[in-house]
Amino acid sequence: MEIHHPQNVAELCDIIAAAPQPLSVLGGGTRPIGQSSARCGLSTDLMSGIVTYEPGAMTLVAKSGTSVAEIEAALDLENQCLAFEPMDHRDLLGTQGIPTLGGIIAANVSGPRRIQVGAARDFTLGVSFVDGAGQLLKNGGRVMKNVTGYDLVKLLVGSWGTLGVLTEVSLKVLPKAETESTLRIATQGWEKAVECMSAVLRTPYDVSGVGTVLNVNGGKDVMIRIEGFVASVRYRVSQLTQRLVHFGDITEIESPWHEMRNLTAWKSMDTVWRVSLRPTNSLKLLKVLEASDIKLQYQMDWGGGLIWLGLDDENKQRAENTATLHAIIQEQLTALGGHATLMKSASLTDMLVPSFQPQTPTLNKLMVDLRHKFDPRGILNPGRMY
Amino acid sequence: MENQYSAGDLEIQMAIKDVFDPSWLLNPAKVFPLAVSQSRTAA
């Protein structure tokens, strides 16, 4: 596939304005989720660099092709971080490439701490982007209170390059926590695990992660992360331990959050879905899936609001069966109110299934009309999302 | 607003209103400068 690598915004505008055919919009190409029908690529990887970073104001502005690693290194020097801790998809998806800022913003990639501080979307203060006509537009600014006009920032974050190609992003950053502690609670079964996660979130102890990890004791033990100043963490750990003791044995363990965020143990899965739903509905979904003959692996995050479903190599199915399972999962999510995204599938490679959760006709019409306004010729990532 | 946003920036914001409210029935005089939205509200 031919891939354009514009060096600057002017080149990017020219390429889009002159594009005779659809473009597959990329950053580092590490998250090939959904299927773009475009046969020509457009990568922002050469448009890179931090434009301004003001640690005192906790804001950072960078070009979209800047690598996440470069940004994290710069923040590290000032003891700050991207609080939404974006997932690195390379382990899970087996991709090469370098993850870029544009990629995490376009896909709204957010990690376990989302439950405490919010998503990538909530940390994006402003964006510049080029629309489908090759016109450079901007919205938002470098401060939280920028209130005039419509907030296109929220719309662009998570639009997967279908509304415009990001050129520059301003972000709010936060100080790193002084210390971190993880409690593991050996709950018995999924019902208790979900109940325990909800109980944790009802406490006033401001936890920064609640989930489960595959490969640890059947994957049903609940992990809780507590971050902050040493004295505060000690206090909250002791309070949580007292309150949760009836759910099972509690031990303090080494941080599993890197593995939980990047799904490093999921490399060999044949098929993986990412399911987002109301935490209390997670059991209903599990009940339906357990009733089928196909054995799935589970990992929960966000207190049960995010479930990773995996079909491992041992249990992998013929393509038709995987496709049927995919349809069942998405139907369940429509009924329960949530969405399921197909992240990868080796057995489904040649079959065309909707990777993203199908929308209601009303929402779909709004989406199609909006896309037409931003990209009248339909050349930006057609087929990627819908 | 016309100082903060370019004509293109305002146009794409108004295009969003076009999608949700094609006839500009809902609070047509708010958010956008009247001179800029005139052609849409006149009809």
Side-chain angles (χ1 to χ4, degrees), chain A residues 31-311:
Chain A
R31 308 171 217 270
I33 297 155
Q35 293 139 326
S36 176
S37 58
R39 269 173 305 214
C40 185
L42 173 62
S43 171
T44 55
D45 59 356
L46 296 184
M47 297 165 49
S48 111
I50 295 172
V51 181
T52 51
Y53 172 34
E54 293 177 55
M58 297 199 285
T59 50
L60 178 142
V61 182
K63 295 183 194 169
S64 58
T66 315
S67 74
V68 179
E70 182 182 340
I71 290 172
E72 284 180 336
L75 293 173
D76 205 44
L77 290 176
E78 298 291 338
N79 211 21
Q80 295 187 336
C81 65
L82 296 175
F84 55 94
E85 50 176 357
M87 170 179 181
D88 183 337
H89 283 78
R90 285 177 294 183
D91 278 329
L92 174 66
L93 302 178
T95 42
Q96 305 294 318
I98 310 279
T100 63
L101 174 63
I104 60 176
I105 298 305
N108 191 26
V109 180
S110 318
R113 209 182 283 109
R114 180 179 193 169
I115 200 141
Q116 184 194 32
V117 298
R121 179 177 285 125
D122 303 300
F123 284 87
T124 311
L125 303 173
V127 292
S128 296
F129 61 98
V130 177
D131 71 5
Q135 184 181 206
L136 178 68
L137 300 170
K138 67 176 193 321
N139 196 264
R142 292 175 188 188
V143 288
M144 287 302 270
K145 35 190 178 184
N146 203 321
V147 288
T148 189
Y150 286 163
D151 188 351
L152 300 189
V153 178
K154 300 281 186 286
L155 186 64
L156 265 289
V157 182
S159 62
W160 292 84
T162 59
L163 299 177
V165 180
L166 293 169
T167 59
E168 200 175 285
V169 178
S170 30
L171 289 174
K172 180 176 125 113
V173 297
L174 285 183
K176 280 187 182 173
E178 185 182 274
T179 187
E180 163 190 326
S181 176
T182 301
L183 293 178
R184 170 178 142 195
I185 308 169
T187 49
Q188 305 296 319
W190 285 112
E191 205 164 320
K192 282 287 169 202
V194 171
E195 200 183 306
C196 177
M197 289 191 283
S198 299
V200 171
L201 291 171
R202 281 196 302 271
T203 69
Y205 302 119
D206 199 28
V207 295
S208 67
V210 189
T212 65
V213 199
L214 192 75
N215 291 347
V216 178
N217 196 14
K220 292 170 193 166
D221 287 1
V222 172
M223 308 289 162
I224 311 173
R225 180 171 61 182
I226 306 104
E227 291 176 306
F229 297 114
V230 176
S232 161
V233 168
R234 290 324 322 158
Y235 170 74
R236 288 183 284 152
V237 164
S238 76
Q239 289 295 316
L240 281 164
T241 310
Q242 281 174 32
R243 288 205 187 192
L244 301 169
V245 69
H246 62 284
F247 283 108
D249 291 341
I250 304 180
T251 38
E252 232 178 313
I253 59 163
E254 285 285 302
S255 175
W257 298 95
H258 176 80
E259 183 186 332
M260 288 172 74
R261 167 171 66 154
N262 291 348
L263 295 156
T264 47
W266 288 59
K267 263 177 224 180
S268 59
M269 293 281 179
D270 175 84
T271 308
V272 174
W273 290 268
R274 177 187 183 279
V275 173
S276 177
L277 80 177
R278 202 192 307 160
T280 43
N281 276 343
S282 53
L283 279 178
K284 292 182 191 164
L285 176 69
L286 255 52
K287 216 164 265 178
V288 173
L289 296 175
E290 300 267 85
S292 81
D293 309 334
I294 303 174
K295 192 170 158 23
L296 290 165
Q297 306 285 342
Y298 309 106
Q299 180 168 311
M300 292 196 188
D301 200 344
W302 302 345
L306 173 70
I307 310 178
W308 296 97
L309 302 177
L311 198 54

Side-chain angles (χ1 to χ4, degrees), chain A residues 135 137-139 146 148-150 152 155 366 369-370 373-374, chain B residues 1 4-5 8-9 12-13 15-20 31-32:
Chain A
Q135 184 181 206
L137 300 170
K138 67 176 193 321
N139 196 264
N146 203 321
T148 189
Y150 286 163
L152 300 189
L155 186 64
L366 283 175
D369 290 353
L370 277 177
K373 296 285 185 186
F374 280 82
Chain B
M1 242 185 134
Q4 184 182 346
Y5 292 112
D9 292 338
I12 196 72
Q13 291 185 31
I16 291 175
K17 186 168 174 67
D18 290 342
V19 170
F20 285 83
V31 180
F32 300 104

